[in-house]
Amino acid sequence: MDKHLIGTWTFVGIIVSLIATLSSVLTLAATGWQMPFYLIFAIIFFAAPIALITIELSVSLKGSGGPQLWVKTATNPKWGFVTSWLLWVQMFPAMVMIASTLGPLLGNTIDNRALGQNHWFTLICILVFYWLVTILNLKFDMAKLGGAVGIWLGVYLPISFMILTGFLAFLKLGISPTSILGSFKPSKLVPDLSDYQSLKYISAVVFIFTGISTTGVYAPRLKNLTKTFTRGLSIAVLVIVLMNFFNSFLIANAIPHGQAELTDITQPVIIYCQILHWPSWIVQIFSGFAFIGVLVQLSTWVTAPSQTIIEVANDGLLPPKWGWYRHNQYGVSKNIVLTQAIAITLFALLYALPNINSVFLMLVNTAVFLYCMVYIIIAIAYLILRYQYHGERPFNVDRHGNSRAWLVAILLILGIIICFISTIITTKVLDSVIMISISILLFVIPLIVERYKKPSWLNDLHRNY
């Protein structure tokens, strides 16, 4: 059997490292008693629909490219190109947002929290370590290594430690009236719709699950595709939901109201240790492991979305002279990952601005806007394939018709609409204009490239092969 094939638990590790961000628990915690509402909303309108679609299409259309393959099969190569492009470019702001936690983590690891909170230090950490994981991915099978080993050191271990220490602090503290949670009232469980600002966290909570569809690119590398993909994705989503909920609740009960630092995952651990009277070196050890976790996630994202662009290049939709169709035995294209590293470097320059929390949320919302575009395309492609694809469906959302499939697609589209509107009305006008402008520009680029593509690109590609 091919030694590069991936088993169920390694696949679970890859998915968790791809989707679960340590920073996501801080964002969810900031919603206070409303976190069950936001989490349930994100599950019903995003996680569940996109997971069902991803499983069905990944095990039915057995090929490379994931979402790009689904959309191309349902429509044409042009929209497959748009899909893969959006999945790729959304990582530019998203990876900067995730990498922004490296500065605070490194600062705490070396016992210099003030340095970690400096926006210039954060910028340097983003640039240095993203380029480092990019280079490592060109040399090693970092996705498999991260899913098998790195996930334990960098995600499972630090998050388990956070939950344990948070629970011990909760037993000692009880419900803190001065925390983000504050005293409980039933009215606090749902957002106050008279204050539209209460909806500002919808996009950020939805972002917890936005990597689910990208897992389809790993389908060709799985042992026993149907069993491994179905079981692996289901387990991973459940783990992510439980991990985020329990961790966020405990964090929200510890951090004082109005003092959450969205890029500093060590903040709750510092507070836990103060409550429990534990030594500060524990925070340093935790920060070191969490630092590894962020590097593992960055490493997974370096290669996953870019694999869809390789398929686009193989369709002759990009100039062969770019060399984006070439890849190594791990499916990594040197030219693509270096291009995305340059783009991420440009986005990272936003951290030259001093207001880190504001930049953080703007990057999250921009990434979510791009994902919303992708999900609308995927939902439409899914419905088309329900009627046009007559091959075997090892996993089928609805074996007796298409009513459940329509429900899945409609829930996803409704969630996208709500997410988009809530983000616009709760964001400053200038920030909204910037986010929408970036999203439209990135959406239009592949349409322009496709419009002016040359037949010679495909011919030259065949000659190069």
Side-chain angles (χ1 to χ4, degrees):
M1 182 173 288
D2 190 336
K3 65 180 180 180
H4 297 308
L5 290 180
I6 297 169
T8 299
W9 290 106
T10 298
F11 185 48
V12 170
I14 290 174
I15 298 171
V16 173
S17 64
L18 186 69
I19 300 174
T21 65
L22 292 172
S23 57
S24 67
V25 294
L26 291 179
T27 305
L28 186 59
T31 65
W33 286 107
Q34 296 170 12
M35 69 179 70
F37 171 87
Y38 283 105
L39 199 53
I40 291 171
F41 172 86
I43 292 170
I44 292 175
F45 290 97
F46 284 88
I50 201 63
L52 290 171
I53 291 173
T54 298
I55 294 173
E56 180 173 325
L57 296 184
S58 294
V59 302
S60 298
L61 303 178
K62 299 177 178 67
S64 302
Q68 182 265 350
L69 172 66
W70 314 337
V71 175
K72 181 177 72 172
T73 305
T75 56
N76 53 53
K78 178 177 76 172
W79 288 106
F81 179 20
V82 172
T83 300
S84 63
W85 178 272
L86 292 175
L87 282 173
W88 183 50
V89 298
Q90 65 77 31
M91 71 174 288
F92 301 164
M95 289 307 95
V96 174
M97 180 274 294
I98 292 172
S100 68
T101 61
L102 290 170
L105 286 171
L106 184 56
N108 281 287
T109 301
I110 61 177
D111 197 24
N112 191 335
R113 193 158 187 254
L115 177 64
Q117 293 175 324
N118 182 285
H119 65 103
W120 290 111
F121 183 69
T122 297
L123 173 59
I124 292 171
C125 286
I126 293 171
L127 299 180
V128 170
F129 290 106
Y130 186 81
W131 276 95
L132 174 63
V133 296
T134 296
I135 294 170
L136 288 174
N137 269 279
L138 294 174
K139 302 294 183 181
F140 307 101
D141 190 355
M142 297 301 292
K144 188 172 183 178
L145 181 63
V149 180
I151 188 69
W152 288 95
L153 294 176
V155 179
Y156 295 154
L157 185 60
I159 286 181
S160 298
F161 179 78
M162 282 186 74
I163 293 175
L164 174 61
T165 52
F167 181 68
L168 293 175
F170 174 75
L171 291 179
K172 184 173 182 179
L173 193 66
I175 299 294
S176 173
T178 60
S179 67
I180 294 173
L181 279 180
S183 56
F184 174 75
K185 293 180 182 178
S187 60
K188 290 185 176 182
L189 291 174
V190 294
D192 181 6
L193 297 181
S194 63
D195 178 15
Y196 63 86
Q197 285 297 325
S198 64
L199 301 175
K200 66 182 179 181
Y201 288 109
I202 282 184
S203 289
V205 175
V206 163
F207 184 78
I208 294 172
F209 302 104
T210 49
I212 291 176
S213 61
T214 309
T215 61
V217 302
Y218 291 102
R221 295 191 60 191
L222 301 184
K223 302 174 184 175
N224 193 342
L225 173 59
T226 300
K227 180 180 178 181
T228 300
F229 201 100
T230 304
R231 182 181 296 178
L233 185 56
S234 301
I235 293 172
V237 171
L238 179 62
V239 167
I240 290 165
V241 169
L242 295 177
M243 178 184 71
N244 276 278
F245 176 73
F246 288 113
N247 217 352
S248 298
F249 177 84
L250 295 170
I251 289 172
N253 189 57
I255 296 179
H257 182 73
Q259 296 184 28
E261 298 170 10
L262 297 182
T263 62
D264 189 359
I265 191 62
T266 57
Q267 183 190 21
V269 179
I270 292 171
I271 295 174
Y272 294 155
C273 288
Q274 291 171 347
I275 294 171
L276 298 170
H277 303 293
W278 287 2
S280 59
W281 58 261
I282 293 177
V283 177
Q284 292 177 255
I285 294 175
F286 167 83
S287 298
F289 281 111
F291 184 86
I292 294 172
V294 176
L295 290 180
V296 169
Q297 184 168 41
L298 289 176
S299 180
T300 306
W301 274 99
V302 164
T303 57
S306 66
Q307 291 180 29
T308 67
I309 296 295
I310 293 174
E311 298 305 315
V312 168
N314 284 327
D315 285 340
L317 297 175
L318 292 168
K321 64 182 179 181
W322 292 1
W324 287 13
Y325 63 91
R326 298 191 185 97
H327 58 84
N328 61 21
Q329 66 268 38
Y330 311 123
V332 180
S333 168
K334 176 182 177 180
N335 290 10
I336 293 177
V337 297
L338 291 180
T339 301
Q340 70 192 25
I342 293 171
I344 287 170
T345 296
L346 296 176
F347 270 90
L349 295 178
L350 285 171
Y351 275 93
L353 302 174
N355 192 337
I356 288 181
N357 273 1
S358 177
V359 172
F360 181 89
L361 284 175
M362 187 167 71
L363 289 169
V364 171
N365 290 336
T366 302
V368 171
F369 279 5
L370 293 168
Y371 251 115
C372 284
M373 294 178 180
V374 173
Y375 283 164
I376 289 176
I377 296 172
I378 290 176
I380 294 171
Y382 174 64
L383 290 175
I384 292 173
L385 289 171
R386 289 295 304 186
Y387 293 93
Q388 293 186 357
Y389 178 73
H390 302 295
E392 182 184 3
R393 295 178 188 268
F395 177 91
N396 196 334
V397 169
D398 193 345
R399 295 186 180 276
H400 305 290
N402 292 307
S403 57
R404 292 179 186 174
W406 273 94
L407 176 62
V408 167
I410 289 172
L411 285 175
L412 182 58
I413 293 172
L414 280 176
I416 291 168
I417 294 171
I418 293 171
C419 181
F420 182 81
I421 294 175
S422 65
T423 302
I424 292 298
I425 65 175
T426 58
T427 305
K428 294 178 181 178
V429 174
L430 179 59
D431 288 349
S432 293
V433 171
I434 292 173
M435 291 186 297
I436 293 174
S437 299
I438 291 174
S439 300
I440 293 175
L441 174 63
L442 293 176
F443 179 80
V444 169
I445 287 175
L447 295 176
I448 295 174
V449 173
E450 199 278 336
R451 172 68 178 79
Y452 292 100
K453 73 177 186 295
K454 299 177 181 179
S456 61
W457 292 353
L458 188 58
N459 296 331
D460 292 343
L461 181 67
H462 290 319
R463 282 197 293 270
N464 288 335
Y465 273 118

